[in-house]
Amino acid sequence: MIMEDAEAPHHMLLLRNLMSQGLVHKQPLLYASASRDPKGFLGTLPAPAPAKEDKSQDLTNEKDLRIAWQYKKYFGDPQSNISSNNGAQHDYCNEFDLRKPLDRHFYSGMNVDCVSIQDSPNLASLQDQCAKFLSQFSRSEANISSAGRIAIQSFCSPQCKYANMEWHMLSFIRSLKGMARSSNAVVVVTFPPSLVSPSCSKRLQHMADTLLSVRAIPDEDKEMAKLLTGYQDMVGLLNIHKVARLNTQVPVILEATTFSIKLQKRRYLVLECLNQAPVDGSSGSSYNTSGSCSGSTKAGSLDF
């Protein structure tokens, strides 16, 4: 589950990348939204960015390159790049270009279902459609041909008629969670916590296997700009509150729980760990204490 921010739709960046990644891998998709025409949202999905090998391929194709000819060996074999790019296999995780729409043939087939929950008096119809969709990916089968993805946008939106039926929404999430546990599928639900009661928001967060939240940052915050490096390129923050950990009581300990959301060249989504800027604008360490590999107090050649 992803908690939305009322000031900025940064959750849409994560949702678009999730849906595009599944469609590129030819995985069936069920998309539910409070809009009247949820199929129109498919036209805003980003397309996979060209591989990095393609950018350097133009340099290797120049046969008349005579300056520093010995550097050609560092470019790699262009033939291997062509064979890998023209193949049918895709990378496990792609980089998507937010300015280029996804080709229509990825979502024009029978493997994409779009559901509008705006005029639904309750969540019974959506629950039936989710159950029918997840029945295709039973975990009991030995052979796993494909995995499914369900994306529900703005689950507690006020445009829905069930927006005031909090216990009904909690019951739906509990049943959907049980169905997802017994199938080879992943479900991502975004909801605005500010539009529900605090008790309902806490219960939704408790039922989530993995809980994320996005938050916008102000355009001109001089104090935060001094603390964080690369503040000018940030558009928001991503917080990880909980990570799925099934069949064990050992929690997941992450190295970082807060990431910066950046748009590289205004077209590529990048998540980076927050880096603290040096104190007083100096180029040295942000801390006054220094440590060595040997652990002694004397300064040695391996001091950091």
Side-chain angles (χ1 to χ4, degrees):
M1 303 193 74
I2 303 176
M3 293 186 289
E4 304 175 3
D5 187 9
E7 298 181 359
H10 293 327
H11 63 280
M12 305 291 288
L13 297 174
L14 303 178
L15 200 64
R16 286 190 176 99
N17 279 264
L18 169 91
M19 296 171 62
S20 295
Q21 188 66 78
L23 293 177
V24 167
H25 288 301
K26 299 180 180 180
Q27 296 175 352
L29 172 68
L30 175 61
Y31 171 65
S33 173
S35 62
R36 292 190 176 275
D37 185 18
K39 292 184 179 180
F41 182 75
L42 300 178
T44 64
L45 299 181
K52 295 182 179 179
E53 290 80 1
D54 295 344
K55 299 177 182 179
S56 61
Q57 185 176 344
D58 297 337
L59 299 176
T60 59
N61 288 337
E62 298 180 2
K63 296 181 180 180
D64 298 333
L65 183 64
R66 297 187 179 184
I67 302 177
W69 58 270
Q70 64 271 22
Y71 293 136
K72 284 185 177 181
K73 59 184 179 180
Y74 297 108
F75 289 131
D77 187 10
Q79 299 298 330
S80 61
N81 297 333
I82 296 176
S83 61
S84 61
N85 293 330
N86 291 338
Q89 295 181 356
H90 298 278
D91 295 334
Y92 180 76
C93 184
N94 297 90
E95 188 179 28
F96 292 94
D97 189 350
L98 298 176
R99 294 185 179 182
K100 183 179 179 181
L102 188 67
D103 292 338
R104 187 177 295 271
H105 73 273
F106 282 107
Y107 55 87
S108 60
M110 300 294 295
N111 59 340
V112 179
D113 296 330
C114 297
V115 180
S116 177
I117 56 178
Q118 182 176 3
D119 298 331
S120 300
N122 51 42
L123 293 168
S125 60
L126 180 60
Q127 184 174 350
D128 295 339
Q129 289 177 334
C130 291
K132 181 181 178 181
F133 179 82
L134 294 175
S135 62
Q136 309 173 29
F137 316 100
S138 178
R139 189 168 292 184
S140 59
E141 298 180 359
N143 297 327
I144 302 176
S145 59
S146 177
R149 302 194 181 202
I150 296 179
I152 302 178
Q153 176 190 347
S154 300
F155 175 65
C156 306
S157 177
Q159 287 88 353
C160 303
K161 296 181 179 180
Y162 60 82
N164 297 326
M165 306 167 61
E166 293 184 350
W167 285 107
H168 184 57
M169 292 187 292
L170 294 172
S171 177
F172 169 79
I173 293 296
R174 185 175 64 250
S175 62
L176 181 60
K177 179 179 178 179
M179 291 185 294
R181 288 281 184 88
S182 60
S183 62
N184 295 311
V186 60
V187 181
V188 176
V189 180
T190 68
F191 73 98
S194 59
L195 299 181
V196 295
S197 63
S199 60
C200 181
S201 177
K202 291 294 183 182
R203 288 183 171 92
L204 289 174
Q205 298 175 33
H206 178 72
M207 286 191 295
D209 292 329
T210 299
L211 182 63
L212 310 176
S213 66
V214 292
R215 182 169 60 91
I217 56 177
D219 295 335
E220 298 180 358
D221 193 343
K222 297 182 180 180
E223 295 182 358
M224 187 175 292
K226 294 179 180 179
L227 294 176
L228 303 177
T229 58
Y231 174 78
Q232 295 78 8
D233 300 331
M234 297 182 187
V235 297
L237 297 175
L238 172 68
N239 296 319
I240 303 177
H241 302 275
K242 185 170 54 174
V243 179
R245 190 72 168 175
L246 305 179
N247 301 326
T248 182
Q249 295 182 351
V250 180
V252 178
I253 301 178
L254 302 176
E255 296 181 358
T257 57
T258 304
F259 295 83
S260 62
I261 303 176
K262 296 182 179 180
L263 292 180
Q264 185 179 8
K265 299 180 180 178
R266 295 295 177 182
R267 60 195 313 167
Y268 304 115
L269 177 64
V270 178
L271 301 178
E272 293 182 355
C273 296
L274 291 180
N275 296 321
Q276 184 178 3
V279 179
D280 296 334
S282 61
S283 60
S285 174
S286 301
Y287 305 94
N288 295 327
T289 60
S290 62
S292 61
C293 291
S294 60
S296 61
T297 57
K298 296 182 181 180
S301 59
L302 294 178
D303 285 350
F304 294 99

